[in-house]
Amino acid sequence: MVSEMVPEQAAQVLVASNRGPVSYKLGEDGALTAGRGGGGLVSGLSAIGPDTNAVWVCAALGDGDREAVRRTGGRLDTGDTGGQRVRMLGIPPEVYADAYNGVANSTLWFVHHLLYQTPLEPAFGTEFRAQWASYEAYNRAFAEALADEAGDGAAVLIQDYHLALVPGMLRALRPDLRIGHFSHTPWAPVDYFRLLPDDIARQLLRGILGADRAAFLTRRWADAFTACCTELLGGTGKTQLGVHGLGADADFLRERANRPDVDERLTELREQIGGTAEAPRRTIVRVDRTELSKNIVRGLYAYRQLLTERPEWRERVTHVAFAYPSRQDLAVYRDYTARVQEVADEINSAFGTPGWTPVVLHVKDDFARSLAAYRLADVALVNPIRDGMNLVAKEIPIVSENGCALVLSREAGAYEELGEDALVVNPYDVTATAAALHEALTMDDDDRTARTKRLAAAATALPPQRWFLDQLDALRGYQATGR
């Protein structure tokens, strides 16, 4: 149900993110159906308790959301939002598309993940400047909504690269607020960040420096941000920096991974993998979106090299690869998804036998099936080109039934916490990754078990609720700078 809701009092805790905790689908009969969101922010905000006056500001993402905003003015009924007050913004679709696809996902994401083919891109011309104007308008809409919803001295936690300009804009509107910004992505090194036009690079940095506190997933990303500020602005000013390495929710994962639907998927996967009780097949598991930074294609190349150079593994190991399509409205992502399928087919054609499919590839998102794969993983392959954290690297050791060896890219944020007990690889080095897969498959059982326990302990050091509350407590400890 969607009904108009007027806040009884101004909020004391506010979260702002592109995607909110609820989304709506519009039926042919005009009825709106709400769906709950997930992730660390949703569980994190629930940790503050029902007595805290809180509101979540987010954007309308589709036709159902926009209709909900039209009917309510954007203040959504708490029955649909799990008891959380939500202010959803009906940003014009063309402005949203330019800000989200043109700037956030096709520019800022590419810069922070080092994804450009620099002989050809980027090329910042008239079209980009028009998209940037939309990004400014999108950020301004958030800043104005937050200023409207916040009580005196409220704590505002602004999320990610979509909203990099909001802290500075909000500071100008409400100098009394305590403002935090959290970056869920890596931060680009100085030389790469300076691919951006100079004025826009400085505008982004000043936007985040409008916050009292700017936080990152790892010290490496915080240091890169500091280096950019020093190079382009002369320093970080009065903004304090923090590091909060988001961990996995072990209790939720273990409980969810043992529900009947996961048991069913596990049975299906075992049938697809094959093998016998006397000679069970080993499994190399990866679970990713077909996001360019996840490096799925090179992972497949490494597996192909393993089968080529180590023929003893043929028919003894299966690569369970879940590659869920991402950002398919962008051509480069559609092409990448097609390439993943193509390489998997090539491997199966070259090495497959009537009783063995070398790569079991699934491209339809299914959380229960992902958890089933976690449970049976002997080896977890997590080899991103660059990643803010990568929770899959943390989740698989928690759920794996018999312990798993983790092959981990040194460019994942999770490397800072898990690197000591992982087999660490250069994500561009296919040969070294193939060698690491062989080492993982031949690892002594006692060693693998001991590593898995240590990985799981490190992975759960800062679960989502604690991650959120630590940031909130740190922000509340500051006086608003009033800049």
Side-chain angles (χ1 to χ4, degrees), residues 414-464:
Y415 164 72
E416 284 195 11
E417 298 163 78
L418 308 183
E420 189 172 334
D421 287 297
L423 301 176
V424 178
V425 296
N426 172 348
Y428 300 95
D429 191 338
V430 170
T431 296
T433 304
L437 291 174
H438 175 71
E439 184 179 352
L441 289 166
T442 55
M443 186 178 290
D444 174 81
D445 288 347
D446 290 341
D447 187 17
R448 187 175 68 249
T449 298
R451 286 178 186 243
T452 302
K453 288 180 179 178
R454 292 192 296 267
L455 288 168
T460 56
L462 194 63

Side-chain angles (χ1 to χ4, degrees), residues 67 92 172 217 230 279 295 406 468 471:
E67 179 61 18
L217 286 163
T230 301
N295 207 25
L406 174 63
F468 181 88
Q471 293 176 69

Side-chain angles (χ1 to χ4, degrees), residues 21-326:
V22 64
S23 61
Y24 293 91
K25 291 184 178 179
L26 182 62
E28 293 181 0
D29 60 354
L32 286 170
T33 304
R36 292 288 307 280
L41 274 178
V42 174
S43 59
L45 187 58
S46 68
I48 64 177
D51 296 332
T52 301
N53 194 328
V55 66
W56 191 319
V57 179
C58 60
L61 303 186
D63 292 340
D65 287 354
R66 293 189 183 95
E67 179 61 18
V69 171
R70 190 190 68 79
R71 295 182 188 182
T72 67
R75 292 190 170 97
L76 304 178
D77 184 280
T78 57
D80 287 341
T81 61
Q84 296 170 344
R85 283 172 48 199
V86 174
R87 171 81 177 270
M88 187 176 282
L89 307 179
I91 295 166
E94 64 279 6
V95 173
Y96 180 84
D98 276 356
Y100 183 73
N101 286 328
V103 175
N105 286 344
S106 294
T107 303
L108 301 184
W109 181 273
F110 273 57
V111 166
H112 289 315
H113 291 84
L114 317 185
L115 293 177
Y116 280 122
Q117 299 182 62
T118 52
L120 299 174
E121 55 185 11
F124 296 117
T126 303
E127 180 182 6
F128 174 76
R129 290 290 173 169
Q131 293 171 335
W132 182 255
S134 292
Y135 182 79
E136 291 175 314
Y138 163 85
N139 276 253
R140 191 173 300 111
F142 271 86
E144 291 172 352
L146 290 165
D148 183 50
E149 296 284 345
D152 291 343
V156 184
L157 293 163
I158 298 162
Q159 306 298 314
D160 227 359
Y161 61 103
H162 312 91
L163 304 178
L165 303 182
V166 172
M169 292 175 171
L170 182 58
R171 174 71 59 206
L173 294 170
R174 292 288 303 273
D176 62 298
L177 300 179
R178 285 169 287 187
I179 302 170
H181 185 277
F182 193 90
S183 293
H184 294 261
T185 65
W187 193 272
V190 173
D191 288 348
Y192 210 88
F193 187 73
R194 298 206 71 171
L195 291 177
L196 292 167
D198 289 350
D199 59 321
I200 285 174
R202 291 188 176 94
Q203 190 178 351
L204 284 165
L205 296 173
R206 290 192 183 106
I208 292 177
L209 292 179
D212 297 287
R213 194 167 186 273
F216 300 84
L217 286 163
T218 73
R219 174 55 55 189
R220 180 183 179 187
W221 311 143
D223 289 346
F225 175 78
T226 300
C228 289
C229 291
T230 301
E231 175 83 9
L232 277 78
L233 302 177
T236 57
K238 296 181 180 180
T239 300
Q240 298 198 28
L241 302 187
V243 174
H244 303 274
L246 175 62
D249 186 338
D251 291 340
F252 165 74
L253 285 168
R254 288 172 178 144
E255 185 279 325
R256 182 67 184 86
N258 286 283
R259 292 185 192 174
D261 61 337
V262 179
D263 291 337
E264 292 173 8
R265 305 300 197 285
L266 187 61
T267 299
E268 293 169 0
L269 280 175
R270 283 180 171 146
E271 290 175 354
Q272 290 179 298
I273 292 166
T276 65
E278 296 77 21
R281 287 194 174 121
R282 310 300 296 276
T283 56
I284 299 170
V285 170
R286 83 170 306 136
V287 177
D288 276 313
R289 294 173 293 111
T290 54
E291 212 297 311
L292 305 182
S293 65
K294 298 300 183 182
N295 207 25
I296 299 170
V297 170
R298 287 193 189 89
L300 288 168
Y301 289 165
Y303 179 62
R304 180 170 63 190
Q305 186 163 335
L306 173 74
L307 297 180
T308 300
E309 297 182 349
R310 300 278 186 174
E312 66 268 26
W313 285 115
R314 297 176 192 177
E315 299 202 68
R316 292 182 53 216
V317 64
T318 297
H319 187 11
V320 179
F322 295 167
Y324 301 138
S326 174

Side-chain angles (χ1 to χ4, degrees), residues 352-414:
T353 67
W356 174 55
T357 303
V359 180
V360 173
L361 177 68
H362 286 281
V363 297
K364 184 178 180 181
D365 198 351
D366 185 330
F367 184 53
R369 187 172 57 210
S370 296
L371 290 173
Y374 287 4
R375 284 173 58 180
L376 58 76
D378 295 304
V379 177
L381 176 57
V382 181
N383 67 319
I385 292 169
R386 197 169 171 87
D387 215 332
M389 177 55 68
N390 196 297
L391 283 178
V392 170
K394 294 187 170 185
E395 292 170 349
I396 295 182
I398 294 168
V399 177
S400 173
E401 291 184 342
N402 298 314
C404 72
L406 174 63
V407 176
L408 179 65
S409 166
R410 68 190 185 197
E411 298 303 314

